[in-house]
Amino acid sequence: MVYSHWGIRQPRIKELFKPFIAMTDTIKKELMREKHNFPRFFVSSLIIFIAISGFLLPILYVLSLVFTIIAAIKAYKGECWNYPLAIRFFKSPDTE
Protein backbone atom coordinates (compact mmCIF):
# COMPACT_ATOMS: atom_id res chain seq x y z
CA MET A 1 0.00 0.00 0.00
CA VAL A 2 1.08 3.50 -0.73
CA TYR A 3 0.16 6.40 1.49
CA SER A 4 -0.58 9.81 0.08
CA HIS A 5 0.73 12.97 1.66
CA TRP A 6 -2.56 13.26 3.64
CA GLY A 7 -2.04 9.84 5.21
CA ILE A 8 -4.81 8.15 3.18
CA ARG A 9 -4.18 4.59 2.07
CA GLN A 10 -4.08 4.27 -1.71
CA PRO A 11 -3.82 0.81 -3.22
CA ARG A 12 -1.41 0.23 -6.03
CA ILE A 13 -2.81 -0.21 -9.53
CA LYS A 14 -1.83 -3.87 -9.55
CA GLU A 15 -3.83 -4.53 -6.40
CA LEU A 16 -6.88 -2.82 -7.88
CA PHE A 17 -6.96 -5.19 -10.85
CA LYS A 18 -6.40 -8.45 -8.93
CA PRO A 19 -10.12 -9.36 -8.88
CA PHE A 20 -10.38 -8.73 -12.61
CA ILE A 21 -7.32 -10.85 -13.33
CA ALA A 22 -8.77 -13.68 -11.24
CA MET A 23 -12.09 -13.29 -13.04
CA THR A 24 -10.46 -13.55 -16.47
CA ASP A 25 -8.73 -16.77 -15.37
CA THR A 26 -12.08 -18.16 -14.30
CA ILE A 27 -13.65 -17.10 -17.59
CA LYS A 28 -10.86 -18.82 -19.53
CA LYS A 29 -11.47 -22.05 -17.60
CA GLU A 30 -15.21 -21.86 -18.24
CA LEU A 31 -14.70 -21.24 -21.94
CA MET A 32 -12.45 -24.29 -22.16
CA ARG A 33 -15.14 -26.34 -20.46
CA GLU A 34 -17.80 -24.99 -22.83
CA LYS A 35 -15.60 -25.80 -25.82
CA HIS A 36 -15.67 -29.43 -24.72
CA ASN A 37 -19.45 -29.34 -24.17
CA PHE A 38 -20.27 -28.11 -27.68
CA PRO A 39 -19.81 -31.48 -29.45
CA ARG A 40 -22.06 -33.11 -26.86
CA PHE A 41 -24.71 -30.47 -27.41
CA PHE A 42 -24.45 -30.86 -31.18
CA VAL A 43 -24.76 -34.65 -31.09
CA SER A 44 -27.69 -34.60 -28.68
CA SER A 45 -29.58 -31.97 -30.70
CA LEU A 46 -28.96 -34.00 -33.86
CA ILE A 47 -30.36 -37.13 -32.20
CA ILE A 48 -33.44 -35.23 -31.05
CA PHE A 49 -33.98 -33.79 -34.53
CA ILE A 50 -33.71 -37.24 -36.11
CA ALA A 51 -36.07 -38.72 -33.52
CA ILE A 52 -38.71 -36.07 -34.14
CA SER A 53 -38.44 -35.97 -37.91
CA GLY A 54 -37.87 -39.71 -38.34
CA PHE A 55 -40.58 -41.09 -36.09
CA LEU A 56 -43.12 -38.43 -35.18
CA LEU A 57 -43.65 -36.72 -38.52
CA PRO A 58 -44.55 -39.90 -40.49
CA ILE A 59 -47.04 -40.83 -37.77
CA LEU A 60 -48.64 -37.39 -37.96
CA TYR A 61 -48.74 -37.60 -41.75
CA VAL A 62 -50.56 -40.96 -41.66
CA LEU A 63 -53.00 -39.67 -39.04
CA SER A 64 -53.78 -36.60 -41.16
CA LEU A 65 -54.54 -38.86 -44.13
CA VAL A 66 -56.77 -41.11 -42.03
CA PHE A 67 -58.66 -38.17 -40.54
CA THR A 68 -59.15 -36.65 -43.98
CA ILE A 69 -60.60 -39.89 -45.33
CA ILE A 70 -62.91 -40.19 -42.33
CA ALA A 71 -64.04 -36.57 -42.82
CA ALA A 72 -64.69 -37.21 -46.52
CA ILE A 73 -66.84 -40.26 -45.73
CA LYS A 74 -68.80 -38.34 -43.09
CA ALA A 75 -69.30 -35.41 -45.50
CA TYR A 76 -70.56 -37.81 -48.18
CA LYS A 77 -73.14 -39.13 -45.72
CA GLY A 78 -74.11 -35.55 -44.82
CA GLU A 79 -72.81 -35.71 -41.28
CA CYS A 80 -70.71 -33.07 -39.53
CA TRP A 81 -67.40 -34.25 -38.11
CA ASN A 82 -64.83 -32.35 -36.07
CA TYR A 83 -61.18 -33.20 -36.53
CA PRO A 84 -59.63 -34.57 -33.35
CA LEU A 85 -57.00 -32.43 -31.61
CA ALA A 86 -58.22 -29.37 -33.53
CA ILE A 87 -58.88 -26.09 -31.77
CA ARG A 88 -62.56 -25.26 -31.97
CA PHE A 89 -62.86 -21.50 -32.32
CA PHE A 90 -66.57 -21.71 -33.24
CA LYS A 91 -69.26 -24.16 -32.22
CA SER A 92 -70.17 -26.68 -34.86
CA PRO A 93 -73.87 -27.07 -35.74
CA ASP A 94 -74.19 -30.55 -34.23
CA THR A 95 -72.86 -29.58 -30.77
CA GLU A 96 -75.62 -27.05 -29.92
Side-chain angles (χ1 to χ4, degrees):
M1 290 290 197
V2 177
Y3 291 93
S4 68
H5 58 280
W6 290 295
I8 300 172
R9 263 178 52 187
Q10 293 178 344
R12 293 185 183 203
I13 301 280
K14 188 177 181 182
E15 292 175 2
L16 282 175
F17 288 106
K18 276 186 181 178
F20 297 109
I21 293 169
M23 187 171 61
T24 56
D25 290 340
T26 307
I27 289 172
K28 285 179 186 176
K29 290 177 186 175
E30 290 296 322
L31 286 176
M32 289 299 292
R33 186 177 302 148
E34 288 298 320
K35 185 175 23 172
H36 295 297
N37 283 338
F38 179 74
R40 295 180 195 136
F41 169 75
F42 182 73
V43 169
S44 63
S45 61
L46 187 66
I47 289 171
I48 290 171
F49 177 75
I50 290 171
I52 289 174
S53 64
F55 300 115
L56 189 61
L57 289 179
I59 291 171
L60 291 176
Y61 180 71
V62 168
L63 283 177
S64 70
L65 287 175
V66 169
F67 292 149
T68 304
I69 292 170
I70 291 172
I73 293 171
K74 296 276 187 173
Y76 180 74
K77 293 179 182 178
E79 301 173 13
C80 186
W81 187 70
N82 291 326
Y83 284 93
L85 303 175
I87 300 173
R88 290 168 181 86
F89 292 108
F90 305 106
K91 288 185 179 181
S92 60
D94 63 345
T95 59
E96 293 178 4

